Amino acid sequence: MLLYPIEALKTQIQTRQRPKHPLQLINGLLGSAAGMFPSGFLFFFAYEPIKLLLSQLDPAADPAGLALLAVRIASAALSMAVCGLMQIPSDVVKTRVQSGAAATTSHGFAQLWLEGRGPRGLYLGAGAWLALHVPRVALTYVIYEYLRAGYASRIVPRAVLAHWESAAIGGACGMMHGFLLSPLDLVRTRLMVRPRLGPGAELAAPRSGWAEAAHIVREEGPLALLLGAPHRMLWMAARGAVFFGTLE
């Protein structure tokens, strides 16, 4: 919730919109927060038990730790896919509100139904969302846990890190994948708001992620794929620092 204005500004840059007033940067905040709780519950409901179960692997049978690494990737990726059941509808409406395509959260939901999309409208850009967030969360958790283990064993001789150290490692992870996955985030944003972009586009047929990326490159140039990248890096670095610092 604290980082919502940064995400809103990033979305407006990606859709080439300008906020009409500062309060627009927090428009839809409560609706977004309401969607975070059930999606967060679903993620950890799946992630922690899977991780705990697979962490019981015998280290002697996996001296390189490759099986444990694969387990962590799989548990994080699968958990994010489960989380998407609640998170994707929330993100679709939130993105439309942030971009100005919808005035409020309730307007965003009603808009999707009035466009004749029904429940399917709540999952606009679902493929791009999964392509973005499944590798993001898998990379973040794996990189964080291994950086943390390396830091604790080689730099500081203690198993328990201070909160600021966990936050710093989480922030570094967030900044890295924030930049690397910016093109996917742009495609996801454009797909979610596309029905409201351009004249007569309200009932436009949805595009695939590849088709949307090709359209952006053709119409706006390759560098357009990095629209909002600095804001996304800042947002993901702060998010990673807050999340992992609080989690630890």
Side-chain angles (χ1 to χ4, degrees):
M1 292 178 66
L2 294 174
L3 303 175
Y4 186 86
I6 301 176
E7 182 190 12
L9 182 59
K10 182 263 306 178
T11 300
Q12 290 170 3
I13 291 173
Q14 289 178 329
T15 55
R16 298 191 182 277
Q17 306 292 321
R18 290 186 179 182
K20 297 178 181 179
H21 52 79
L23 290 179
Q24 191 175 344
L25 295 178
I26 60 173
N27 194 17
L29 173 60
L30 294 180
S32 175
M36 291 178 186
F37 288 103
S39 61
F41 170 81
L42 284 176
F43 179 85
F44 284 105
F45 179 81
Y47 178 76
E48 291 296 343
I50 294 174
K51 178 185 170 184
L52 181 62
L53 175 65
L54 297 176
S55 294
Q56 306 303 316
L57 292 175
D58 182 7
D62 182 31
L66 295 179
L68 186 56
L69 174 61
V71 159
R72 288 171 174 169
I73 293 176
S75 60
L78 180 60
S79 300
M80 198 62 193
V82 173
C83 164
L85 294 173
M86 289 296 300
Q87 189 66 40
I88 293 174
S90 175
D91 275 7
V92 171
V93 176
K94 175 185 69 175
T95 300
R96 292 165 77 89
V97 172
Q98 289 177 337
S99 68
T104 63
T105 299
S106 58
H107 178 219
F109 276 107
Q111 200 178 64
L112 294 169
W113 285 92
L114 292 175
E115 286 175 0
R117 297 182 182 277
R120 293 179 59 185
L122 297 176
Y123 289 89
L124 282 173
W129 190 95
L130 291 170
L132 168 68
H133 288 286
V134 170
R136 175 189 69 79
V137 76
L139 285 172
T140 299
Y141 273 78
V142 171
I143 292 173
Y144 172 79
E145 292 188 13
Y146 276 84
L147 282 180
R148 185 180 183 280
Y151 179 82
S153 62
R154 295 182 176 87
I155 299 179
V156 293
R158 47 190 165 86
V160 180
L161 301 182
H163 294 310
W164 71 266
E165 293 171 310
S166 298
I169 295 173
C173 293
M175 183 171 290
M176 285 189 291
H177 72 67
F179 175 76
L180 293 173
L181 299 178
S182 281
L184 280 174
D185 184 60
L186 175 69
V187 170
R188 173 201 66 84
T189 299
R190 293 292 183 88
L191 288 174
M192 287 182 173
V193 303
R194 181 174 175 262
R196 300 297 297 178
L197 291 178
E202 287 79 5
L203 297 177
R207 287 184 179 138
S208 68
W210 286 110
E212 185 66 27
H215 175 78
I216 292 170
V217 171
R218 183 173 60 254
E219 298 294 327
E220 305 176 46
L223 290 180
L225 292 174
L226 294 178
L227 280 172
H231 299 79
R232 176 173 165 78
M233 292 172 65
L234 175 62
W235 171 48
M236 296 308 298
R239 181 176 176 176
V242 171
F243 177 78
F244 285 110
T246 305
L247 180 66
E248 295 294 346

